[in-house]
Amino acid sequence: MKNNSSNLVLQIADDLRKKIGRGELPVSGRIFSARQLAVLYNCSHQTANSALNLLANEGAITRKQGSGSYRKQEIVRPKIACLMKDSHTSDFSTLSYFVKFLLLLLEKNQCDYQLFSFQDLQSANFSPHLFREFDGLITDTRYSDHNSMQLIYDFDRPKLWPWPTFYQLATGNQVVADYISTFIQILKKAKLWGIKKCYLYHRRNEFLEIMQAAVAGSSWDEAAIEYINLGPLNSIMSACKYAMDIPAEPDILHMTSADMIAWGFYEAMMERGLEPGDFHITGLGNMEGFGFIPLGAPKLTTTYHPREPYLEMAVQMFCRQIREKSNVSEIIRIPGELILRESAFYKKK
């Protein structure tokens, strides 16, 4: 009798397994209960329950106490094409940290992927069929030749363009560094420090708009703010030369839109015989955190916007867009961190 019962458990489990394979059971939602199986197969409740437990142990179904048995939903793994600047995409050890982190995120989000380089595009003669089998495309934004850009823009499924602190999906969805809130942190710190006037330096119009929005959100009086466009100034040396004539007082803040400008300003102040505490200069980028310290050791007060959170959020949004076929517009802003060093908000010992 025991052997007959065991055989019946195996027979019921095998029959249900075949039904799952043929797609006769719903992908999601409840399947047969033990009571229903007992009626269907003319067996005891215990035998039906044992058959369901067998399938659950195999991973074919899941059983929830007090809820019932469910067919385990198969996870569809989107196939992603990754077009990167790295030229040796077949050798994982040579890939940049950024690309390796991207691939880890794709695996975390249960995606399959294939890496392509510019050489791969050339060897395929920039064929529009190159990405035909892929559900999504992540592409390095530094490609500027006509053929590769045309191939990218002709791809009609979800796309993601990664920048250092700006990630944009083809639908307009974005994950961006929230420079506004970061500059607000600096301006509020300056007010607490007793600073009376702020000079805000930028080289691009978008940073002028960001700085204006930060001033509006920081309770500073516009009369105490001066916006200065540095135009073509594009090196530490030129910034140093420029800063030889700017005002330097303990109650003035020079807030710049890049560490490079701030470094030049810092060097100028030191050459003028001033010391930290006699002036206040802030940058943006935390290049010192990456070991890049030109012309000595400026020790800049700056802001840090780590790349990893931006990319992680963007990849999650990208994969959700593919799976749900959703084009809902969404902008996620991630604030940066204010890093205090000697160039600003520093008291002389």
Side-chain angles (χ1 to χ4, degrees):
M1 187 72 178
K2 183 177 179 181
N3 288 337
N4 289 339
S5 177
S6 298
N7 289 337
L8 187 54
V9 168
L10 295 175
Q11 290 173 16
I12 294 171
D14 186 57
D15 192 42
L16 290 176
R17 204 180 289 114
K18 290 176 180 177
K19 289 180 184 295
I20 292 174
R22 293 194 296 265
E24 295 177 12
L25 296 181
V27 175
S28 59
R30 291 178 60 178
I31 59 174
F32 301 113
S33 66
R35 188 180 304 278
Q36 289 171 323
L37 280 183
V39 174
L40 183 64
Y41 290 95
N42 193 25
C43 65
S44 69
H45 182 276
Q46 182 179 357
T47 298
N49 194 56
S50 296
L52 289 173
N53 283 336
L54 179 61
L55 290 176
N57 290 334
E58 293 176 358
I61 65 172
T62 57
R63 305 198 71 187
K64 299 179 182 179
Q65 186 70 29
S67 176
S69 299
Y70 298 81
R71 177 179 167 184
K72 185 170 284 186
Q73 188 169 358
E74 294 181 10
I75 297 174
V76 177
R77 294 178 64 91
K79 192 174 180 182
I80 311 300
C82 301
L83 178 56
M84 296 290 119
K85 195 72 171 177
D86 301 64
S87 56
H88 302 290
T89 54
S90 60
D91 185 352
F92 186 82
S93 65
T94 66
L95 298 178
S96 65
Y97 165 77
F98 171 79
V99 175
K100 288 178 180 177
F101 185 66
L102 169 64
L103 300 184
L104 287 173
L105 290 176
L106 288 175
E107 293 199 9
K108 180 180 176 181
N109 284 273
Q110 299 178 311
C111 297
D112 295 324
Y113 58 82
Q114 183 175 339
L115 282 171
F116 293 88
S117 68
F118 179 68
Q119 286 83 354
D120 295 327
L121 270 61
Q122 283 183 313
S123 62
N125 294 317
F126 303 95
S127 168
H129 300 297
L130 191 62
F131 303 135
R132 182 176 55 188
E133 304 300 324
F134 293 90
D135 302 302
L137 172 65
I138 300 177
T139 177
D140 195 310
T141 54
R142 292 171 290 176
Y143 285 99
S144 57
D145 66 285
H146 172 74
N147 289 323
S148 59
M149 290 304 296
Q150 189 64 45
L151 182 61
I152 291 166
Y153 281 108
D154 285 347
F155 185 82
D156 60 357
R157 277 143 281 165
K159 294 188 279 274
L160 171 64
W161 288 276
W163 284 71
T165 51
F166 180 94
Y167 300 93
Q168 180 167 337
L169 282 72
T171 55
N173 291 1
Q174 298 176 21
V175 179
V176 299
D178 190 351
Y179 291 123
I180 295 175
S181 67
T182 303
F183 283 143
I184 287 176
Q185 290 181 58
I186 296 174
L187 291 167
K188 286 186 174 180
K189 182 74 175 177
K191 187 170 281 288
L192 289 172
W193 204 255
I195 288 174
K196 305 298 182 185
K197 187 170 181 60
C198 294
Y199 291 84
L200 278 54
Y201 301 87
H202 62 93
R203 290 181 300 149
R204 303 200 307 267
N205 287 335
E206 57 263 37
F207 268 107
L208 171 60
E209 296 172 2
I210 288 170
M211 288 175 165
Q212 288 172 333
V215 169
S218 65
S219 73
W220 266 84
D221 185 351
E222 279 282 358
I225 302 292
E226 186 169 341
Y227 302 97
I228 300 171
N229 188 334
L230 295 174
L233 187 148
N234 60 4
S235 70
I236 294 171
M237 186 174 296
S238 59
C240 180
K241 182 177 179 181
Y242 176 92
M244 285 295 182
D245 297 320
I246 66 176
E249 301 291 342
D251 61 351
I252 294 177
L253 170 67
H254 297 280
M255 186 170 82
T256 73
S257 63
D259 273 359
M260 180 196 71
I261 300 171
W263 272 322
F265 284 15
Y266 184 97
E267 290 296 324
M269 297 298 179
M270 300 302 285
E271 286 186 29
R272 289 164 62 174
L274 301 170
E275 297 178 357
D278 296 329
F279 58 85
H280 298 280
I281 297 168
T282 66
L284 186 149
N286 190 35
M287 295 303 292
E288 286 186 65
F290 301 101
F292 180 64
I293 307 175
L295 306 176
K299 299 182 179 178
L300 286 178
T301 289
T302 184
T303 60
Y304 178 47
H305 294 82
R307 300 179 68 176
E308 291 83 356
Y310 305 102
L311 184 56
E312 186 163 10
M313 292 291 292
V315 169
Q316 288 175 2
M317 188 189 298
F318 176 64
C319 293
R320 188 169 68 247
Q321 219 176 66
I322 293 172
R323 287 192 169 99
E324 298 177 2
K325 294 180 171 55
S326 168
N327 291 331
V328 176
S329 181
E330 186 176 8
I331 297 179
I332 299 174
R333 302 182 184 276
I334 302 180
E337 174 190 357
L338 177 60
I339 299 175
L340 298 175
R341 300 194 184 106
E342 291 183 6
S343 73
F345 316 128
Y346 175 80
K347 287 185 177 179
K348 295 176 68 175
K349 296 179 181 178

